[in-house]
Amino acid sequence: MDLKTASALRRLRLVSAPEAVSFLVLLLCSVLKRTTEFNAVPVMGYVHAVLFVLYVIFWLDAWNRTKWSFGTAALYFVLSVLPTGGFFAERKLRRESENAVIAARAREEGIVNA
């Protein structure tokens, strides 16, 4: 895996958990708006929208660089629209990037040892 691909995966991983948190907070603010006088929906809506747009941009970049299958790319997109899906995406992306680093080191050692 080259540096740009690793960076694309890292960016997607780093935005997935905050995007999931913002979604949950937005849902909470929506409930509070209807049950109390508290209305933070406009602010949280904006925060969540920015994080979601960043997620989609980073998802497209990662899909382009990693050459994921359509099913894998679709899974990461579906996880972005589920209330807690970003947490699962972050965990899965962390494993994927760690495996890629291990494979790159093994290839590198194979070249050095050859």
Side-chain angles (χ1 to χ4, degrees):
M1 173 183 303
D2 66 342
L3 187 58
K4 290 184 179 184
T5 304
S7 294
L9 284 174
R10 187 169 192 274
R11 280 190 303 268
L12 181 60
R13 185 175 67 82
L14 289 177
V15 79
S16 63
E19 191 272 337
V21 169
S22 73
F23 192 5
L24 293 173
V25 173
L26 179 60
L27 290 175
L28 176 65
C29 288
S30 183
V31 169
L32 289 174
K33 177 184 175 184
R34 284 158 180 74
T35 59
T36 67
E37 297 291 321
F38 184 74
N39 184 12
V41 171
V43 173
M44 277 314 301
Y46 179 77
V47 170
H48 176 67
V50 168
L51 289 170
F52 182 74
V53 167
L54 284 174
Y55 185 96
V56 170
I57 290 169
F58 295 157
W59 168 75
L60 287 169
D61 184 40
W63 186 10
N64 182 43
R65 292 187 186 281
T66 60
K67 308 298 185 215
W68 285 328
S69 67
F70 179 79
T72 300
L75 172 68
Y76 284 120
F77 185 79
V78 167
L79 287 174
S80 75
V81 297
L82 297 175
T84 58
F87 299 119
F88 296 107
E90 192 276 333
R91 187 179 326 157
K92 192 166 174 52
L93 286 163
R94 183 183 324 132
R95 268 191 247 125
E96 185 174 335
S97 63
E98 287 171 354
N99 290 341
V101 168
I102 291 169
R105 286 183 181 161
R107 281 192 306 271
E108 190 175 280
E109 287 177 10
I111 293 171
V112 173
N113 291 335

